[in-house]
């Protein structure tokens, strides 16, 4: 049988890709080596955080699963940056590491049009330059119209613990070597990256009283429209009631019964042990030369790069309700086991810590994302898409956002529609994809709010409004959500119009509400009947109004450049006045518009001036 | 060879008028072959010569038919080979004898041989497009070309050497690093960050604001140096204003007569005073009149007075201060005015001390041809005092408006930081981004990558 969409790899990107394609009515296969490892949280047990939370909200607004899955399996809910203004406010949820994948697997199982195939893909099957499907380790051919590669860190994955190293995609899982070779033979440029994960500690070996308590928020902030709406949640699976909590309380209210995190820190003794053993670290001993995550550095990195800091934070995050393990966020490393034991025990609260799993570093192949279009389809092989960590990103959210886009676009390709391309000024996912395909990356790419130039417009609170038109077109979100969003949007608009019209004394209500200390709830002349969410949108929109207007003007101004196409006949090699470096970059990335060209790193304004002149005169 | 500049341009590079030599420049892929066609010398033709070499020879015209080739000029020809030239194209420079006619004939000959007459500033534009100059340097070149005085030339050449660029870059770097600190505080949560850094960032932004204010102040200086100081001669009819103009210019530029109201329109002439460019304007005498032409002239005089850097008010000292004089004197800006008490040979009804409150008084008798040195000295003192003594080069109008925008954004950032509310940090960070963007337009730097790079290099936090 032939599938419309075939997804290789069932991590966070793969699940979103497969679910989206299947929900769009396209026959879809999800290839996983081990069915029980689908949607596994291989590193930290949390979803969201600054800028990442924005992505999760957009995923929810477009019809992805990550937001819902997180809300229904969350064990601690927090809001970050509460005082810094709504644009940078973010939600972070600690998930139950066992139930997050379990629930996602149940969703995958229940989704019509979606088959899980347990196998290891070894080869992209291309005949006469045309994509036919995938070959697997059993020598079988699996036919598909489109293929989405979401291989995570599995491509030539190599794990390091101190001077010990072995092949593997994650701890305890096989790496994919043949697929790398297959991609290279198709002409894809692969490069190496590295990342790491900390040891896991048994929760009963920790002295919590030495640490600072970090409780969750009540009421819990949620990502998804559905969890906010359905107070009680029971998941249906086959004939049996499948419950995410599998506890005795059922139905269970999402966000109830939260578990706290704890905060501790490294000490001078910790630093001394690490300094003394640097040569034994895989990353510092020279075993790994791939590029690591700068802003999620290993503890070796932190101590070497910031020698003036005598202490670093460590967050103690529970991995679940039933799970015995705790994730110590902030001490990822690649030391031998005995060094890990030694330094961990110098940390307050961890003096008798029992390390159940040891920290490891992993290096892996990623495919240079500048080989992709904004639809995440590769420029080299038609109908072949790439999403997630294989594109050089880090983080579940970044992976899921790409997976959703790639899955939707693969399905659109099958049903012959217009691809979904999100712009930088309407979404963080748009910023993510544009950065990847235009700038590429030299290190694992993590989302930040500072990457988004239109940050004030891209808030988590308005994700559903920003994504509304796209969501309606793609059609995989709950229709009730689309219509409610439409209704709310109208209410927001008419309320803003009213506040601009109605006066109290010599000032309009809008002017009064714009004052820093004023909120909608305190406004004399407010509309009590408005839903809370509408009131909040009105307030935020008015408070940022001046800035947003300026942003909109800037977007309008840039539109000319953004939309000015670079014609097919432009041959960068023939434009001798471009610097050699610029010519190389432009040839490599092949931007579609002048605006895209201007964003390529290393391309400067005079290159753009030259390019514009060439296009204007209509010849090289 | 340069595909984008695929034609070859030519222009006379020296200013029009009499001069020792005239330089004609040729730039583009055909520069060498065109030179071969029009130039004759002993030994190798230009296209066979090395770059950075010169050769003596003749520009000739062989299109004269039966009369045979005609020598246009005896010249020195300089060969620059790409990319080692001003435009990074092949460039030929022809140094001929001065005089407009000769230079124009050479240019005409080059165009006949296949060159195209260059647009204004086109050489510099090519240099910019070929990456030879940055935007600031390109502007400086244009200023240098247009410079009216030695001092303006020094200023433009400083800018060309990048002293202005480095000043802008210092401010730019300061703003980028401040913005990066603010951005980091937004992108990492409270518990991941070190203690409060805001006051320290505030200090740095304040320093940037002060530097920017100083840069803006240099605009006035730059204006005077580039455009020349505007000096306007005013006074009642027939007090000797036009005579003063002629004396200062040492020529008979203006018609002078004993008839009041002889000068009906304004006359503007430039001259160099102690290395400073001066635009000297003679105006119609200020009086009530029925003559429409004269009234229009008086109105124009008014508009010049409003823009004047220095006003020279001329009075007939033999008559005394009339009511109209009194009114006019009171309108003067004392620090930027000179009061010329003319015609003292006819008697002195006004003493210098009586008018000292309104400006610098100078007693003289212009009609007798007494050299008005006192006036020149007073004039240059006033103009000099209007120029802040700054080492750095001054900025152009384009820079000024970008700097004004930058200052607006920086001020907004500062006020947001001063709000004592954490939500101000976000808006302050946005304001600083705007500021950096404006400033980047001056030097052509792009902030986005640099800002992120700067953000990422300074923090050590977990996920």
């Amino acid at each position: 049988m032939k599938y419309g969409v075939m997804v290789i790899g069932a991590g966070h990107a793969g699940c979103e890709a497969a679910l989206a394609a299947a929900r769009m009515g396209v026959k879809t296969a999800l290839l996983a080596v081990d069915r029980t490892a689908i949607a596994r949280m291989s590193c930290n047990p949390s979803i969201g955080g600054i800028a990442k939370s924005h992505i999760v909200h957009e995923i929810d607004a477009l019809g992805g699963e990550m937001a819902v899955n997180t809300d229904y399996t969350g064990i601690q809910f927090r809001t970050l940056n509460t005082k810094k203004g709504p644009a940078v406010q973010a939600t972070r949820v600690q998930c139950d590491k066992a139930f997050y994948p379990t629930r996602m697997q149940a969703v995958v199982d229940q989704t019509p049009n979606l088959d899980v195939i347990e196998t290891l893909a070894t080869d992209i099957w291309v005949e006469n330059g045309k994509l036919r499907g995938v070959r697997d380790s059993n020598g079988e051919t699996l036919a598909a119209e489109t293929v989405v590669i979401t291989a995570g860190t599995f491509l030539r994955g190599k794990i390091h613990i101190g001077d010990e190293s072995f092949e593997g995609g994650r701890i305890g899982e096989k790496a994919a070597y043949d697929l790398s070779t297959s991609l290279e033979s198709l002409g894809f440029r692969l490069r190496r990256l590295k990342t790491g994960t900390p040891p896991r500690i048994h929760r009963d070996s920790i002295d919590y009283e030495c640490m600072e308590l970090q409780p969750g928020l009540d009421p819990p902030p949620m990502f998804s429209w559905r969890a906010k709406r359905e107070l009680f949640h029971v998941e249906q699976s086959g004939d049996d009631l499948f419950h995410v909590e599998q506890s005795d309380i059922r139905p269970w209210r999402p966000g109830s019964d939260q578990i706290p995190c704890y905060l501790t820190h490294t000490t001078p003794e910790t630093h001394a042990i690490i300094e003394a053993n640097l040569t034994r670290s895989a990353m510092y001993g020279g075993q790994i030369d791939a590029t690591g995550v700068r802003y999620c550095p290993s503890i070796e990195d932190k101590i070497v790069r910031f020698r003036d800091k005598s202490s670093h934070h460590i967050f103690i995050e529970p991995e679940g309700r039933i799970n015995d393990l705790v994730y110590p966020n902030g001490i990822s490393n690649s030391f031998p086991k005995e060094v890990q034991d030694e330094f961990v025990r110098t940390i307050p609260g961890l003096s008798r810590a029992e390390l159940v799993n040891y920290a490891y570093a992993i290096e892996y192949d990623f495919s240079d994302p500048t080989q992709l279009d904004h639809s995440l389809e590769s420029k080299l092989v038609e109908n072949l898409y790439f999403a997630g960590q294989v594109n050089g990103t880090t983080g579940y959210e970044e992976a899921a956002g790409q997976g959703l886009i790639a899955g939707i676009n693969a399905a659109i390709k099958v049903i012959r529609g217009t691809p979904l391309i999100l712009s930088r000024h309407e979404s963080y996912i748009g910023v993510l994809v544009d950065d990847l395909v235009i700038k590429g990356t030299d290190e694992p790419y993590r989302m930040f709010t500072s990457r988004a130039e239109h940050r004030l417009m891209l808030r988590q609170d308005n994700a559903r409004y920003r994504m509304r038109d796209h969501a309606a077109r793609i059609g995989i979100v709950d229709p009730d959500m689309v219509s409610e969003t439409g209704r709310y949007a109208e209410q927001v608009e008419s309320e803003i119009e009213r506040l601009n019209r109605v006066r109290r004394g010599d000032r309009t209500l809008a002017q009064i509400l714009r004052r820093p200390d004023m909120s909608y709830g305190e406004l004399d002349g407010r509309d009590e009947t408005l839903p809370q969410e509408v009131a909040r949108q009105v307030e935020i929109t008015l408070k940022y109004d001046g800035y947003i207007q300026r942003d909109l003007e800037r977007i309008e101004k840039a539109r000319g450049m953004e939309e000015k196409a670079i014609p097919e006949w432009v041959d960068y090699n023939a434009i001798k006045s471009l610097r050699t470096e610029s010519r190389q970059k432009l040839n490599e990335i092949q931007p579609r518009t002048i605006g895209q060209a201007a964003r390529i790193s290393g391309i400067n304004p005079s290159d753009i001036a030259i390019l514009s002149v060439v296009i204007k005169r209509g010849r090289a | 060879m340069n595909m984008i500049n695929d034609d070859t341009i030519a222009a006379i590079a020296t200013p029009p008028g009499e001069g020792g030599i005239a330089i004609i420049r040729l730039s583009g892929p055909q520069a060498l072959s065109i030179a071969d066609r029009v130039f004759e010398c002993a030994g190798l033709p230009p296209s066979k010569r090395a770059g950075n070499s010169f050769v003596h020879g003749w520009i000739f015209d062989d299109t004269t038919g039966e009369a045979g080739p005609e020598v246009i000029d005896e010249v020195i020809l300089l060969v620059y080979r790409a990319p080692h030239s001003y435009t990074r194209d092949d460039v030929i420079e022809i140094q001929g004898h001065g005089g407009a006619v000769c230079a124009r004939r050479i240019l005409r000959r080059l165009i006949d041989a296949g060159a195209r007459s260059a647009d204004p500033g086109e050489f510099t534009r090519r240099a910019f497009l070929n990456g030879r100059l940055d935007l600031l340097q390109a502007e400086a070149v244009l200023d240098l070309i247009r410079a009216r005085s030695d001092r303006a030339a020094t200023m433009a050449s400083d800018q060309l050497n990048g002293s202005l660029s480095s000043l802008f870059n210092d401010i730019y770097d300061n703003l980028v690093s401040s913005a990066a600190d603010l951005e980091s505080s937004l992108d990492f949560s409270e518990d991941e960050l070190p203690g409060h850094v805001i006051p320290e960032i505030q200090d740095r932004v304040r320093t940037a604001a002060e530097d920017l204010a100083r840069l803006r102040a240099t605009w006035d200086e730059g204006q005077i140096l580039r455009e020349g100081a505007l000096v306007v001669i005013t006074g009642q009819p027939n007090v000797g204003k036009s005579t003063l103009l002629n004396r200062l210019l040492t020529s008979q530029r203006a018609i002078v007569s004993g008839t009041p109201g002889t000068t009906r329109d304004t006359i503007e002439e430039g001259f160099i005073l102690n290395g400073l460019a001066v635009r000297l304007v003679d105006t119609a005498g200020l009086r009530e009149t029925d003559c429409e032409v004269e009234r229009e002239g008086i109105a124009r005089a008014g508009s010049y007075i409003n823009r004047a850097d220095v006003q020279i008010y001329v009075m007939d000292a033999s008559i005394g201060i009339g009511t109209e004089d009194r009114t006019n004197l009171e309108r003067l800006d004392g620090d930027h005015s000179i009061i010329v008490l003319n015609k003292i040979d006819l008697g002195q009804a006004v003493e210098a001390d009586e008018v000292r409150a309104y400006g610098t008084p100078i007693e003289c008798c212009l009609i007798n041809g007494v050299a008005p040195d006192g006036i020149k000295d007073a004039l240059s003192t006033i103009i000099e005092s209007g120029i802040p003594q700054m080492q750095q080069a001054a900025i152009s109008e384009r820079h000024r408006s970008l700097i004004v925008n930058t200052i607006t954004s920086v001020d907004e950032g500062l006020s947001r930081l001063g709000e004592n509310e954490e939500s101000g940090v976000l808006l302050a960070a946005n304001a600083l981004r705007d500021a950096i963007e404006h400033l980047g337009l001056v030097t052509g730097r792009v902030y986005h990558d640099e800002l992120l790079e700067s953000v990422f290099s300074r923090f050590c936090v977990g996920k």
Side-chain angles (χ1 to χ4, degrees):
Chain A
M1 90 154 281
K2 185 176 179 181
Y3 288 96
V5 176
M6 184 164 285
V7 180
I8 304 177
H12 304 283
C15 285
E16 295 295 349
L19 287 171
R23 285 168 179 172
M24 287 170 74
V26 175
K27 191 75 189 145
T28 303
L30 179 59
L31 273 52
V33 175
D34 173 2
R35 177 185 279 279
T36 64
I38 290 176
R40 180 172 284 175
M41 303 179 103
S42 31
C43 194
N44 60 328
S46 78
I47 299 278
I50 296 163
K52 292 162 172 275
S53 162
H54 295 67
I55 296 177
V56 180
H57 278 90
E58 288 167 9
I59 290 173
D60 189 55
L62 286 169
E65 193 61 30
M66 176 173 262
V68 182
N69 208 57
T70 303
D71 287 345
Y72 287 161
T73 60
I75 55 175
Q76 194 209 41
F77 296 75
R78 291 183 68 196
T79 302
L80 308 177
N81 271 353
T82 42
K83 294 185 199 136
K84 291 177 191 162
V88 290
Q89 243 165 48
T91 306
R92 186 171 63 196
V93 177
Q94 300 295 138
C95 290
D96 188 305
K97 209 165 194 165
F99 291 128
Y100 186 94
T102 310
R103 183 189 175 279
M104 188 67 92
Q105 287 159 24
V107 171
V108 166
D109 284 342
Q110 290 166 32
T111 300
N113 301 321
L114 180 55
D115 296 341
V116 173
I117 302 175
E118 270 189 308
T119 187
L120 175 69
T122 53
D123 202 12
I124 303 299
W125 173 23
V126 175
E127 268 177 28
N128 304 323
K130 203 171 172 308
L131 180 74
R132 302 292 301 276
V134 171
R135 289 193 194 89
D136 72 2
S137 50
N138 305 321
E140 305 272 341
T141 53
L142 306 161
E145 260 182 80
T146 65
V147 171
V148 183
I149 300 181
T150 52
T153 60
F154 278 68
L155 294 184
R156 289 193 191 127
K158 193 172 182 193
I159 290 172
H160 300 261
I161 304 177
D163 42 18
E164 195 188 328
S165 77
F166 46 89
E167 291 173 9
R170 279 188 298 221
I171 203 83
E173 293 177 59
K174 275 195 296 184
Y177 272 69
D178 297 331
L179 196 54
S180 273
T181 314
S182 168
L183 288 172
E184 277 173 340
S185 72
L186 290 170
F188 286 97
R189 286 189 302 274
L190 302 183
R191 300 199 333 247
R192 295 294 268 177
L193 285 178
K194 70 170 183 197
T195 188
T197 193
R200 304 300 196 271
I201 300 171
H202 197 285
R203 63 176 171 191
D204 296 337
S205 68
I206 296 175
D207 302 311
Y208 294 98
E209 60 280 8
C210 311
M211 302 178 181
E212 192 186 311
L213 181 80
Q214 291 197 307
L217 264 185
D218 196 42
M222 302 256 181
F223 286 115
S224 66
W225 179 77
R226 189 166 140 197
K228 280 180 219 162
R229 204 154 164 266
E230 289 173 9
L231 242 74
F232 295 97
H233 172 61
V234 181
E235 200 70 47
Q236 200 76 33
S237 170
D239 296 331
D240 303 321
L241 264 188
F242 163 73
H243 193 266
V244 287
E245 285 299 302
Q246 294 185 333
S247 69
D248 296 323
I249 327 155
R250 75 169 64 174
W252 164 80
R253 185 170 67 86
S256 61
D257 193 19
Q258 294 188 41
I259 299 176
C261 293
Y262 293 86
L263 179 62
T264 181
H265 54 86
T266 58
T267 61
E269 296 80 69
T270 326
H271 291 218
I273 294 168
I274 288 168
E275 289 271 9
N277 287 287
L278 273 180
T279 51
R280 303 187 65 194
S281 148
M283 274 178 263
Y284 275 84
Q287 286 93 325
I288 303 181
D289 48 9
T291 317
V293 194
R294 239 192 311 173
Y295 18 83
C296 176
S298 65
I299 190 72
E300 299 99 296
D301 264 342
K302 286 196 235 184
I303 283 167
V304 170
R305 280 175 51 208
F306 302 95
R307 285 194 197 270
D308 52 329
K309 278 198 83 178
S310 56
S311 179
H312 295 277
H313 284 315
I314 297 160
F315 299 90
I316 300 295
E317 305 175 2
E319 292 207 335
R321 289 184 205 281
I322 311 175
N323 195 324
D324 286 333
L325 298 186
V326 156
Y327 178 95
N329 190 345
I331 52 169
S332 86
N333 69 84
S334 56
F335 282 117
K337 293 171 180 172
E338 61 273 20
V339 179
Q340 297 191 30
D341 281 325
E342 195 185 349
F343 91 76
V344 167
R345 288 179 190 145
T346 61
I347 294 166
L350 302 182
S351 57
R352 50 181 193 89
E354 182 198 332
L355 276 59
V356 181
N357 295 320
Y358 285 89
Y360 65 89
I362 180 164
E363 53 174 332
Y364 55 96
D365 285 349
F366 79 106
S367 162
D368 182 346
T370 62
Q371 302 169 104
L372 306 176
D373 262 329
H374 280 79
S375 61
L376 296 180
E377 184 175 5
S378 80
K379 295 171 187 165
L380 281 171
V381 177
E382 199 187 349
N383 295 336
L384 182 61
Y385 295 74
F386 287 76
Q389 233 167 336
V390 73
N391 283 338
T393 59
T394 173
Y396 308 143
E397 306 81 357
E398 288 86 345
Q402 293 171 65
L404 182 65
I405 296 297
I408 288 174
N409 281 326
I412 286 177
K413 194 75 189 272
V414 173
I415 56 184
R416 315 227 183 295
T418 315
L420 173 66
I421 291 168
L422 303 178
S423 66
R424 296 185 72 90
H425 56 80
E426 65 184 351
S427 67
Y428 271 86
I429 297 178
V431 172
L432 168 68
V433 170
D434 186 68
D435 276 350
L436 288 176
V437 308
I438 294 299
K439 291 180 193 291
T441 188
D442 293 325
E443 59 190 329
Y445 178 105
R446 171 181 162 178
M447 185 47 76
F448 287 102
T449 71
S450 41
R451 294 196 194 271
E453 52 277 53
H454 306 295
R455 179 164 54 189
L456 294 180
M457 292 163 51
L458 307 186
R459 306 182 305 270
Q460 59 173 23
D461 64 73
N462 69 353
R464 58 189 288 199
Y465 303 97
R466 295 187 272 116
M467 294 296 101
R468 176 166 62 123
D469 292 345
H470 297 301
R473 174 165 83 94
I474 305 304
I476 56 173
V477 289
D478 191 328
D480 288 350
M481 173 173 165
V482 180
S483 58
E484 187 192 89
T485 308
R487 206 165 56 243
Y488 281 5
E490 279 167 27
Q491 283 179 299
V492 170
E493 203 177 310
S494 68
E495 177 63 359
I496 287 176
E497 188 273 324
R498 185 183 77 88
L499 295 180
N500 274 315
R501 186 163 36 82
V502 178
R503 289 173 174 276
R504 283 284 179 278
D506 57 347
R507 318 186 71 190
T508 63
L509 289 179
Q511 283 169 331
I512 295 167
L513 182 54
R514 272 197 204 101
R515 287 205 306 248
D517 52 341
M518 181 55 80
S519 71
Y520 189 84
E522 298 165 298
L523 184 70
D524 178 21
R526 65 183 174 272
D527 180 352
E528 301 274 10
T529 65
L530 282 186
Q532 207 188 339
E533 190 183 325
V534 172
R536 187 169 148 75
Q537 277 308 305
V538 168
E539 181 178 324
I540 297 172
T541 310
L542 276 178
K543 294 218 173 205
Y544 281 150
D545 190 37
Y547 298 90
I548 292 173
Q549 287 310 322
R550 232 188 289 163
D551 246 12
L552 289 172
E553 281 164 27
R554 200 170 307 161
I555 293 166
E556 201 45 51
K557 234 164 72 184
R559 196 181 291 276
M561 208 159 111
E562 199 49 57
E563 286 173 1
K564 186 167 174 189
I566 299 176
E568 292 283 333
W569 55 259
V570 170
D571 173 7
Y572 301 114
N573 290 327
I575 308 173
K576 294 288 187 269
S577 45
L578 287 173
R579 291 166 304 140
T580 314
E581 186 210 343
S582 310
R583 245 178 285 155
Q584 267 170 6
K585 283 265 184 183
L586 289 164
N587 268 325
E588 208 175 285
I589 291 166
Q590 295 288 338
R592 306 266 181 210
T593 69
I594 289 282
Q596 290 177 9
R599 284 198 295 277
I600 298 173
S601 324
I603 296 294
N604 66 27
S606 72
D607 296 326
I608 295 301
I610 291 166
L611 208 51
S612 304
V613 171
V614 168
I615 293 171
K616 203 156 74 190
R617 41 163 83 181
R619 69 197 146 89
Chain B
M1 152 120 167
N2 198 318
M3 291 307 288
I4 193 166
N5 305 326
D6 54 1
D7 52 358
T8 299
I9 53 172
I12 302 172
T14 38
E18 301 299 316
I21 56 163
I23 296 174
I24 299 94
R25 226 185 247 153
L26 193 59
S27 171
Q30 275 91 49
L32 298 173
S33 59
I34 291 173
D36 285 357
R37 247 169 273 155
V38 304
F39 179 76
E40 196 54 58
C41 62
L44 297 169
S47 64
K48 299 276 189 290
R49 288 180 182 269
N52 298 323
S53 68
F54 64 91
V55 54
H56 167 263
W58 295 268
I59 300 288
F60 65 93
D61 184 354
D62 63 357
T63 59
T64 43
E66 286 180 14
E70 182 197 338
V71 169
I72 297 174
D73 198 3
E74 182 183 357
V75 301
I76 302 288
L77 185 139
L78 292 85
V79 180
Y80 301 91
R81 284 183 180 272
H84 305 291
S85 75
Y86 177 65
T87 56
R88 291 204 168 156
D89 291 332
D90 287 339
V91 167
I92 292 289
E93 209 172 278
I94 299 166
Q95 302 186 351
H97 288 97
V101 179
C102 221
R104 242 179 258 143
R105 280 194 69 193
I106 296 175
L107 178 62
R108 167 63 45 204
R109 182 72 194 97
L110 292 174
I111 289 166
D112 288 345
R116 170 171 70 76
S117 183
D119 296 332
E122 197 173 0
F123 285 93
T124 304
R125 201 180 74 204
R126 285 192 176 189
F128 167 68
L129 285 179
N130 289 339
R132 165 82 164 64
L133 301 172
D134 73 18
L135 212 50
L136 268 182
Q137 289 172 324
E139 284 178 343
V141 171
L142 295 177
D143 276 347
L144 193 59
I145 293 164
R146 283 196 243 108
R148 293 191 180 204
S149 64
D150 291 349
R151 290 235 211 140
T154 313
M155 179 182 84
S157 94
D158 278 354
Q159 188 172 336
L160 187 57
N161 294 334
S163 78
L164 187 51
S165 295
S166 89
L167 198 66
F168 274 108
N169 283 333
D170 286 349
I171 302 176
Y172 183 91
D173 291 341
N174 177 357
L175 287 177
V176 168
S177 105
S178 307
D181 280 341
L182 289 180
E183 296 283 349
S184 309
S185 78
L186 296 172
D187 265 327
F188 297 102
S189 68
E190 292 87 345
D191 20 76
E192 291 171 313
L193 283 171
H196 270 283
V197 286
I198 302 296
E200 194 252 332
I201 299 173
Q202 259 173 318
D203 283 346
R204 265 156 44 206
V205 178
R206 230 174 262 129
T207 306
E210 285 159 13
D211 291 345
L212 284 164
R214 265 200 295 279
L215 259 182
R216 180 171 57 181
T218 66
W219 182 74
D220 299 328
E221 168 191 8
Q223 185 77 355
I224 289 178
L225 291 181
R226 256 189 319 277
E227 307 294 331
L230 182 63
V231 176
V232 180
I233 306 175
T234 61
Q236 295 199 49
N238 206 26
V239 292
K241 296 185 293 298
S242 301
T243 311
L244 176 59
L245 176 93
N246 289 340
R247 289 280 176 275
L248 286 170
L249 297 176
T250 60
S251 74
Q252 290 295 317
R253 172 64 181 81
I255 300 165
V256 289
S257 80
T259 315
T262 304
T263 306
R264 294 181 169 194
D265 197 357
T266 48
I267 295 172
E268 180 174 339
E269 278 297 317
F271 75 106
I272 304 292
L273 174 68
N274 299 341
L276 292 162
V278 173
R279 290 158 59 210
L280 192 60
V281 178
D282 182 20
T283 61
L286 303 167
R287 65 164 177 181
E288 293 296 320
T289 174
D290 291 335
C291 172
E292 208 171 303
V293 177
E294 198 179 342
R295 262 214 308 266
E296 174 59 25
I298 293 170
R300 280 192 200 181
S303 94
Y304 270 102
I305 291 168
N306 291 337
R307 285 179 286 139
D309 293 307
V310 183
Q311 198 178 144
I312 304 180
Y313 189 79
V314 186
M315 289 174 63
D316 186 338
S318 66
I319 298 176
I321 305 176
T323 339
E324 286 191 24
D325 276 327
R326 185 68 68 192
T327 318
N328 291 336
L329 283 172
E330 274 169 6
R331 285 194 193 129
L332 295 177
D333 171 356
D335 291 337
H336 298 100
S337 298
I338 295 169
I339 296 155
V340 173
L341 301 173
N342 192 18
K343 306 190 186 181
I344 46 170
D345 54 323
L346 301 178
Q348 194 159 1
V350 186
E351 290 295 332
D353 282 343
E354 288 180 64
V355 294
R356 203 176 293 282
Y358 305 110
T360 310
I362 307 286
E363 298 171 345
C364 64
C365 172
L366 295 166
I367 197 87
N368 287 349
V370 175
D373 276 345
I375 298 179
K376 284 188 178 172
D377 291 345
L379 200 51
S380 76
T381 309
I382 292 174
I383 296 172
E384 297 259 3
S385 74
I387 302 173
Q389 295 304 307
M390 297 195 61
Q391 292 305 305
Q392 67 234 28
I395 57 170
S396 74
E397 173 58 31
R398 187 180 80 92
H399 301 150
R400 195 191 66 89
S401 70
L402 285 168
I403 287 174
V404 168
N405 291 342
T406 312
I407 290 175
T408 310
S409 299
V410 167
D411 286 349
E412 187 189 325
L414 276 176
S415 87
R416 291 292 174 187
L417 283 179
E419 268 174 9
N420 240 354
E421 259 213 51
E422 281 192 70
S423 61
V425 172
L426 172 62
L427 299 176
N430 266 43
L432 286 195
R433 280 183 173 215
D434 289 348
I436 294 165
E437 205 175 320
H438 292 309
L439 207 55
L441 288 176
V442 179
T443 51
R445 282 171 77 172
V446 196
Y447 79 98
H448 203 238
D449 293 343
E450 296 185 37
L451 183 62
L452 290 175
E453 187 57 33
S454 192
V455 172
F456 300 156
S457 62
R458 65 188 62 213
F459 270 94
C460 67
V461 285
K463 273 195 182 172

